[in-house]
Amino acid sequence: MDFMFGGKYRLEEEIAIGGCGTVFLGVHTVAGKEVAIKLEPAIARNSPLKQESKVYKTLMGGPGVPWIMWSGKHGDYNVMVIDLLGPSLEDLFKMCNRHFTVKTVLQLADQLLSRLEFIHSRDFVHRDVKPANFVMGTDRAEHLVNVIDFGLAKKFRDSKTSAHIPYRQDDHHGVGTSLFASINAHRGIECSRRDDLESLAYMLIYFLRGTLPWRKIKGATVAETWDAIRDKKLEALSVLTVGLPVEFEIFFNYARGLEFEDLPDYVGLRDLFKGLAKKMKIEYDEVYDWTLPPRRTTKRFCEACNARR
């Protein structure tokens, strides 16, 4: 296999495995810039990676959407080269001992709602909203939340006529990740904007609680796992936000109460959380739980450690 793509992107090492392919670290051989290269065996008639590339090309340039530099077929693989970004929110959550403070969650919620609003404004629903699919930027943009992995994204309305896709339901569970999937997705109902918001609500609760009641549930088959998690979600609805600021309960109930074709009030939801921040005297200063202290403070800390030794 030739490890050079697009004439200038060299494959380096594997960094992640996703539902729509394997992601490698790559480098632009002329500029020396590091990139992410996603590969998928070119064996299926319907290529998730080709579909993902099309979505990126539609959305790139928008806030928090990585740029795609090259895509195409190379030998036995479909290939996509995109910006290399920072760690995912799932990685950072684990690094912070599986707990984020209210301040970090509120700052994330503000950006995450904006990302979904942008994606929806371009007629797509993501359909796999989860911490692993949001990554932080690098360098001067390290505070910026980016959305990735559009392999399951789908148009929910016609770009020309604005006609919404029809409501439908089948006997199979929906798409996405069962831990964060909406209850309607569990029931096999076609996803729309409301489902991305419900998944986001589960994400925020997960960050604050450190887990979700159905996190460790597993069945003998994938279908049984989805069904068991659905049942646990329905059972836990009334207690899911107990002990959290009431704004998170309001957001969760709002998302659950949306109808199939409803346009969410993204601005109102961001204002809801900004109101909580004001009440708690929290400033949106782009400092998160994982943000490193100033260098001078770090140096003093290290010197103190050395002194103890």
Side-chain angles (χ1 to χ4, degrees):
M1 171 176 152
D2 186 357
F3 293 98
M4 190 79 71
F5 302 105
K8 53 190 174 183
Y9 296 103
R10 186 177 66 244
L11 203 69
E12 296 286 325
E13 60 185 87
E14 181 182 309
I15 54 178
I17 297 177
C20 299
T22 304
V23 183
F24 294 82
L25 173 68
V27 65
H28 189 296
T29 55
V30 178
K33 174 183 170 66
E34 290 186 326
V35 296
I37 301 176
K38 198 168 187 179
L39 300 184
E40 166 202 73
I43 52 177
R45 178 175 297 179
N46 296 318
S47 163
L49 193 58
K50 284 184 179 179
Q51 170 62 20
E52 186 177 13
S53 297
K54 290 178 182 178
V55 178
Y56 267 115
K57 289 173 182 177
T58 302
L59 299 177
M60 68 180 185
V65 179
W67 284 89
I68 180 169
M69 291 122 179
W70 186 84
S71 67
K73 185 179 178 182
H74 187 103
D76 296 328
Y77 293 88
N78 295 317
V79 184
M80 180 175 70
V81 181
I82 61 172
D83 284 331
L84 179 68
L85 297 167
S88 73
L89 294 185
E90 181 66 26
D91 293 331
L92 293 166
F93 186 57
K94 291 175 182 175
M95 190 182 84
C96 294
N97 297 316
R98 301 190 64 81
H99 175 76
F100 285 159
T101 59
V102 174
K103 176 182 177 180
T104 286
V105 173
L106 289 179
Q107 291 189 103
L108 290 175
D110 191 67
Q111 291 203 56
L112 293 167
L113 282 164
S114 293
R115 298 299 168 269
L116 293 183
E117 180 179 17
F118 173 72
I119 294 168
H120 296 168
S121 74
R122 295 301 188 270
D123 307 320
F124 284 97
V125 282
H126 189 281
R127 300 205 304 170
D128 197 16
V129 171
K130 61 181 180 181
N133 284 341
F134 294 93
V135 299
M136 300 306 294
T138 56
D139 301 324
R140 293 183 180 180
E142 64 181 3
H143 64 281
L144 187 72
V145 179
N146 298 268
V147 57
I148 61 169
D149 206 336
F150 290 95
L152 296 177
K154 181 179 179 179
K155 282 209 164 188
F156 70 89
R157 67 184 172 197
D158 186 281
S159 300
K160 294 181 179 178
T161 66
S162 294
H164 200 287
I165 57 175
Y167 178 97
R168 70 181 183 88
Q169 182 176 7
D170 57 39
D171 295 331
H172 303 288
H173 64 72
V175 296
T177 302
S178 57
L179 185 61
F180 300 100
S182 70
I183 291 173
N184 284 322
H186 278 277
R187 291 169 169 161
I189 297 172
E190 183 75 57
C191 288
S192 62
R193 290 169 286 193
R194 64 179 181 177
D195 299 282
D196 279 351
L197 284 191
E198 185 177 337
S199 293
L200 176 57
Y202 293 133
M203 261 182 64
L204 301 182
I205 294 166
Y206 173 73
F207 288 153
L208 289 169
R209 291 207 178 282
T211 189
L212 290 167
W214 49 86
R215 179 170 168 257
K216 295 185 178 181
I217 292 178
K218 286 188 177 180
T221 64
V222 172
E224 286 183 13
T225 298
W226 273 76
D227 288 346
I229 289 177
R230 175 203 62 205
D231 294 343
K232 186 64 177 178
K233 282 179 182 175
L234 289 168
E235 178 189 317
L237 286 180
S238 61
V239 297
L240 198 57
T241 57
V242 171
L244 302 181
V246 68
E247 286 78 4
F248 291 95
E249 180 182 3
I250 292 170
F251 174 45
F252 177 66
N253 288 335
Y254 175 82
R256 288 279 305 129
L258 288 169
E259 297 295 332
F260 180 64
E261 295 189 18
D262 280 351
L263 169 66
D265 182 4
Y266 310 96
V267 174
L269 293 170
R270 288 199 298 273
D271 286 344
L272 171 71
F273 288 129
K274 286 177 181 175
L276 173 59
K278 184 176 181 181
K279 187 166 58 178
M280 296 182 68
K281 295 181 169 54
I282 290 173
E283 181 183 354
Y284 285 21
D285 57 5
E286 299 175 354
V287 175
Y288 300 91
D289 292 332
W290 58 84
T291 304
L292 293 175
R295 286 186 178 180
R296 190 163 64 179
T297 304
T298 305
K299 184 178 179 182
R300 285 177 181 170
F301 178 77
C302 292
E303 287 173 350
C305 291
N306 290 332
R308 290 193 194 100
R309 292 185 190 136

